[in-house]
């Protein structure tokens, strides 16, 4: 069943790729992919930077390269990847429930829990709609949790090997270092759920620290460079992406306890709009009375066992602990939303590296979803048991209706594919097909034998740029994955952006003097930029035509080649 319902992810694809947000799947010939991932230092961004976050992604990118040599295109590979993420997430929760010490109805609880984890309100607001690396975290944390618990319970080497293999190929998960402590906290907590704490405390801790040390040693090839640079990176977040405190405030606007209990309306952009169009094309229906009523079914089912417990019904210890942890997660996930919101806010001021936690609901949503999935499955089992006293038919029909409302009707965008942004007046589509002229341009540029950079125009400090391709796109500069030559792309590096700013704002005629210091020989002008949907310019220059005119007026720079809407300029040999 889980394998079948996971196939809905394949139906989401309406063009070659799904790309957008912070998720940039390689839209490139497979031989170009690894170039971006196997060095700690990369010269492909700005004037060069530490590439430590890319190192954990190397095994996955190696698999994509291997798939390409086997005749599987990156477009097909992305479909397979989405399917595996969905299937792995559901299957892992299913087996997690089977491991937990439920006394009866394990498979029923596991089935409801797995389906809820795959199709729940949180996913229509965050991971699958925003599209970022957290979609990997959503699948890999429960998978690693199941393998770890099986390794502890059986001591079989096969589970240890699977644990480390999944970690190895799922390295994309750990490109966000915050996931590492999240994982190991979850492993320890659930390990204590399945054993008697007093009798097994020493055994659990000994196994835990042994596994953690072994894991760290086996993954030191990416852990050392990652943590060698990560504290400086987070300490500088206020400079590079804006104040983390402002981000915390934005992500905390809607995280009231009422919304957290319903896992609904948790993000300010959900239901908001700009330029006369909503950020979420399907958000308006969730303002209706019917959908608001359905949203309250979820917390009723999740907390039904606890309500029975308050009336002296027996409740397993591990379920009580799950409730306690869920409430604690709610407290931290709400960010600086009242009450006591100033606590996390003050921590961000005192400990700069905690700026990685500037969007707590986004990061902790995985853990909340795991707990809610187990509790929802258990709540449905309890409900069925209560209604069964009035007749099996009534119990079955009621459970079927409720589960359909929560798992199918409410998160319907996950079933129809609307969860993937299809474009609008204010934001291009995440359904992407790359124009053929990029491949032609890459073949020409990659054929140049000498080492040199190309300078990509226009540049955006937000990284993502809107393009006027056939179906639209808002992605990072596609040249990054398609061209093997190093380039100076959209970046926050002031020196790297200097030629662009001189060209755009100052009417400077000699930018070649700055470009040659950066090792730039070619300039790539993207005339396929859609600045009506994403205004990446400032001042009075609101068209890429200004850049083209300014380039034509440059000294020591001339037009070298043109491919579709891409124009390559070249520094004269005596200027380079």
């Amino acid at each position: 069943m889980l394998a079948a319902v996971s196939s809905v992810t394949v139906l989401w694809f309406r063009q070659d790729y799904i790309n957008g947000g912070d998720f940039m799947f390689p839209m490139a010939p497979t031989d170009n992919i690894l170039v971006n991932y196997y060095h700690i230092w990369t010269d492909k961004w700005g004037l060069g930077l530490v590439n430590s976050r890319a190192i954990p992604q190397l095994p996955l990118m190696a698999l994509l390269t291997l798939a390409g040599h086997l005749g599987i295109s990156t477009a097909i590979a992305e479909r397979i990847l989405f399917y595996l993420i969905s299937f792995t997430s559901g299957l892992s929760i299913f087996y997690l429930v089977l491991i937990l010490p439920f006394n009866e109805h394990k498979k029923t609880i596991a089935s409801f829990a797995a389906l809820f984890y795959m199709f729940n309100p949180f996913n229509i607001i965050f991971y699958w709609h925003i599209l970022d690396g957290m979609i990997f975290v959503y699948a890999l944390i429960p998978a690693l949790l199941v393998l770890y618990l099986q390794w502890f319970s059986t001591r079989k080497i096969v589970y240890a090997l699977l644990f480390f293999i999944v970690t190895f190929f799922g390295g994309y998960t750990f490109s966000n270092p915050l996931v590492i402590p999240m994982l190991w906290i979850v492993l320890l907590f659930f390990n204590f759920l399945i054993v008697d704490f007093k009798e097994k405390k020493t055994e659990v801790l000994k196994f835990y620290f042994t596994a953690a040390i072994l894991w760290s040693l086996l993954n030191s090839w990416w852990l050392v460079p990652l943590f060698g640079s990560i504290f400086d990176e987070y300490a500088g977040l206020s400079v590079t992406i804006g104040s983390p405190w402002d981000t915390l405030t934005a992500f905390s606007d809607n995280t009231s306890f009422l919304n957290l209990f319903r896992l609904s309306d948790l993000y300010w952009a959900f239901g908001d709009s700009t330029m006369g169009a909503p950020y979420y094309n399907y958000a308006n229906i969730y303002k209706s009375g019917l959908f608001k009523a359905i949203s309250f079914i979820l917390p009723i089912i999740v907390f039904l066992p606890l309500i029975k417990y308050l009336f002296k019904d027996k409740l397993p210890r591990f379920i009580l602990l799950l409730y306690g942890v869920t409430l604690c997660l709610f407290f931290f996930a709400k960010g600086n939303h009242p009450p006591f919101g100033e606590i996390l806010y003050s921590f961000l001021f005192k400990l700069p590296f905690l700026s990685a936690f500037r969007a707590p609901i986004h990061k902790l949503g995985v853990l909340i979803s795991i707990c809610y999935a187990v509790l929802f499955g258990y709540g449905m089992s309890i409900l069925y048991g209560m209604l069964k006293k009035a007749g099996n038919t009534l119990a079955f029909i009621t459970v079927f209706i409720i589960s359909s409302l929560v798992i199918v009707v409410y998160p319907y965008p996950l079933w129809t594919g609307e969860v993937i942004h299809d474009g609008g007046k204010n934001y291009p589509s995440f359904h992407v097909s790359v124009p053929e002229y990029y491949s032609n341009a890459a073949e020409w540029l990659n054929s140049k034998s000498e080492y040199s950079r190309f300078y990509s125009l226009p540049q955006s400090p937000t990284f993502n740029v809107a393009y006027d391709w056939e179906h639209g796109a808002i992605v990072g500069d596609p040249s990054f994955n398609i061209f093997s030559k190093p380039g100076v792309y959209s970046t926050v590096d002031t020196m790297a952006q200097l030629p662009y700013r001189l060209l755009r704002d100052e009417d400077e005629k000699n930018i070649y003097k700055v470009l040659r210091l950066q090792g730039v020989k070619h300039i790539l002008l993207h005339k396929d930029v859609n600045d009506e949907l994403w205004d990446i310019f400032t001042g009075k220059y609101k068209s890429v035509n200004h850049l083209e005119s300014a380039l034509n007026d440059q000294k020591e720079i001339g037009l070298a080649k043109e491919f579709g809407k891409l124009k390559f300029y070249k520094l004269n040999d005596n200027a380079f």
Side-chain angles (χ1 to χ4, degrees):
M1 176 182 66
L2 298 179
V5 297
S6 296
S7 63
V8 299
T9 58
V10 179
L11 302 178
W12 293 351
F13 287 81
R14 297 171 188 172
Q15 304 302 329
D16 293 341
Y17 300 96
I18 291 175
N19 257 333
D22 290 335
F23 179 75
M24 189 172 180
F25 192 82
M27 302 179 293
T30 52
D31 288 336
N32 292 344
I33 295 174
L34 287 182
V35 176
N36 303 321
Y37 296 94
Y38 55 52
H39 292 301
I40 293 176
W41 176 266
T42 179
D43 58 1
K44 290 201 69 175
W45 285 103
L47 303 184
L49 51 77
V50 176
N51 201 33
S52 57
R53 282 187 181 233
I55 302 300
Q57 303 175 36
L58 180 60
L60 175 61
M61 298 305 164
L63 277 181
L64 289 178
T65 302
L66 176 61
H69 286 292
L70 295 175
I72 301 173
S73 68
T74 51
I76 297 299
E78 188 182 24
R79 287 161 169 77
I80 295 172
L81 179 64
F82 273 41
Y83 176 86
L84 290 176
I85 288 173
S86 178
F87 179 58
T88 301
S89 65
L91 188 66
S92 300
I93 293 297
F94 182 87
Y95 279 105
L96 174 62
V97 172
L98 296 185
I99 294 171
L100 293 175
F102 287 105
N103 294 325
E104 55 185 358
H105 309 305
K106 278 193 173 185
K107 288 189 176 180
T108 301
I109 297 171
S111 298
F112 281 120
L115 288 170
F116 175 81
Y117 191 73
M118 296 166 70
F119 303 95
N120 67 67
F122 195 88
N123 278 331
I124 65 172
I125 300 175
F126 287 106
Y127 302 144
W128 281 120
H129 182 82
I130 291 179
L131 277 182
D132 59 13
M134 291 301 289
I135 61 174
F136 292 89
V137 180
Y138 199 78
L140 265 292
I141 281 190
L144 291 171
L145 175 58
V146 167
L147 293 172
Y148 178 86
L149 294 179
Q150 287 292 83
W151 180 18
F152 172 81
S153 300
T154 65
R155 296 300 200 275
K156 290 182 178 180
I157 192 67
V158 63
Y159 291 113
L161 289 174
L162 287 173
F163 182 79
F164 293 116
I165 289 171
V166 170
T167 298
F168 182 73
F169 287 107
Y172 201 118
T173 304
F174 303 105
S175 55
N176 183 341
L178 194 63
V179 175
I180 298 172
M182 282 173 54
L183 170 66
W184 286 95
I185 291 171
V186 167
L187 296 182
L188 183 61
F189 171 70
F190 273 88
N191 203 163
F192 277 123
L193 281 188
I194 65 172
V195 299
D196 186 295
F197 179 79
K198 293 181 180 179
E199 293 184 3
K200 299 281 189 176
K201 178 175 62 176
T202 302
E203 180 185 352
V204 168
L205 292 176
K206 183 178 178 180
F207 183 87
Y208 175 79
F209 285 111
T210 301
I213 292 170
L214 183 59
W215 186 88
S216 300
L217 290 173
L218 291 174
N219 292 287
S220 58
W221 60 277
W222 58 264
L223 279 171
V224 172
L226 185 66
F227 282 97
S229 63
I230 207 64
F231 289 102
D232 289 338
E233 178 183 337
Y234 283 133
L237 273 175
S238 60
V239 176
T240 59
I241 63 169
S243 168
W245 304 286
D246 292 341
T247 304
L248 174 65
T249 299
F251 272 87
S252 304
D253 281 346
N254 287 43
T255 52
S256 65
F257 277 115
L258 178 63
N259 288 345
L260 284 166
F261 278 110
R262 299 182 301 124
L263 295 189
S264 300
D265 301 323
L266 290 169
Y267 188 35
W268 66 268
F270 192 74
D272 206 343
S273 63
T274 182
M275 295 173 61
Y279 287 105
Y280 292 71
N281 291 336
Y282 48 82
N284 284 337
I285 195 171
Y286 289 90
K287 298 178 182 178
S288 68
L290 174 61
F291 271 72
K292 284 192 177 296
I294 294 174
S295 72
F296 283 95
I297 296 176
L298 175 58
I300 291 173
I301 298 299
V302 166
F303 288 92
L304 179 61
L306 185 61
I307 295 171
K308 285 193 66 182
Y309 172 75
L310 296 176
F311 288 94
K312 308 303 182 182
D313 199 14
K314 290 183 179 181
L315 201 61
R317 179 188 68 90
F318 78 94
I319 291 294
L320 284 173
L321 289 174
L322 267 181
Y323 280 124
V325 167
T326 302
L327 294 176
C328 288
L329 289 171
F330 282 169
F331 180 80
F332 288 106
K334 71 182 182 61
N336 64 359
H337 198 285
F340 309 114
E342 64 276 4
I343 295 176
L344 182 58
Y345 194 83
S346 63
F347 270 124
L348 285 182
F349 273 105
K350 294 177 182 177
L351 303 172
F353 65 88
L354 279 182
S355 55
F357 201 61
R358 64 194 180 278
I361 182 60
H362 179 248
K363 300 298 186 293
L364 295 179
V366 174
L367 309 186
I368 292 172
S369 296
I370 291 174
C371 294
Y372 248 49
V374 176
L375 294 171
F376 176 78
Y378 186 56
M380 292 299 291
S381 174
I382 293 295
L383 177 65
Y384 183 80
M386 293 170 60
L387 295 175
K388 194 176 180 180
K389 298 174 183 178
N392 288 336
T393 303
L394 175 64
F396 177 82
I397 293 175
T398 303
V399 167
F400 177 79
I401 292 174
I402 289 176
S403 60
S404 297
L405 289 173
V406 174
I407 296 172
V408 179
V409 176
Y410 197 80
Y412 80 89
L414 290 165
W415 294 92
T416 63
E418 292 177 63
V419 70
I420 305 299
H421 186 63
D422 203 21
K425 295 179 182 178
N426 61 341
Y427 214 72
S429 173
F430 283 5
H431 296 284
V432 175
S433 291
V434 183
E436 187 178 355
Y437 53 76
Y438 273 90
S439 299
N440 298 332
E443 184 178 353
W444 174 78
L445 186 64
N446 295 343
S447 67
K448 305 297 179 183
S449 58
E450 77 278 9
Y451 176 85
S452 63
R453 287 190 176 99
F454 67 92
Y455 195 89
S456 187
L457 291 172
Q459 298 215 349
S460 167
T462 61
F463 178 74
N464 285 327
V465 179
Y467 295 92
D468 66 356
W469 300 344
E470 182 181 358
H471 306 285
I474 180 161
V475 294
D477 196 317
S479 316
F480 173 68
N481 279 314
I482 296 176
F483 299 171
S484 59
K485 286 282 186 182
V488 182
Y489 305 98
S490 298
T491 174
V492 295
D493 188 321
T494 303
M495 286 302 297
Q497 282 212 352
L498 181 59
Y500 168 59
R501 294 182 182 276
L502 290 173
L503 192 69
R504 184 190 69 187
D505 302 330
E506 305 297 335
D507 199 27
E508 173 61 51
K509 305 296 185 185
N510 296 295
I511 66 167
Y512 76 90
K513 295 179 179 180
V514 182
L515 291 171
R516 68 185 180 186
L517 292 176
Q518 299 183 3
V520 170
K521 191 166 187 177
H522 291 90
I523 301 170
L524 168 58
L525 178 64
H526 294 265
K527 293 200 68 178
D528 53 356
V529 168
N530 187 337
D531 47 33
E532 291 183 3
L533 283 180
W534 195 258
D535 184 9
I536 59 175
F537 297 99
T538 58
K540 62 182 179 181
Y541 308 124
K542 295 187 179 298
S543 170
V544 73
N545 293 332
H546 169 75
L547 288 178
E548 183 178 19
S549 176
L551 280 172
N552 291 334
D553 291 339
Q554 287 296 305
K555 298 176 182 178
E556 304 294 345
I557 295 176
L559 182 64
K561 200 75 174 177
E562 193 167 355
F563 299 92
K565 294 184 178 182
L566 302 180
K567 298 186 75 170
F568 284 91
Y569 294 79
K570 181 183 177 183
L571 273 67
N572 295 339
D573 291 336
N574 62 335
F576 179 68

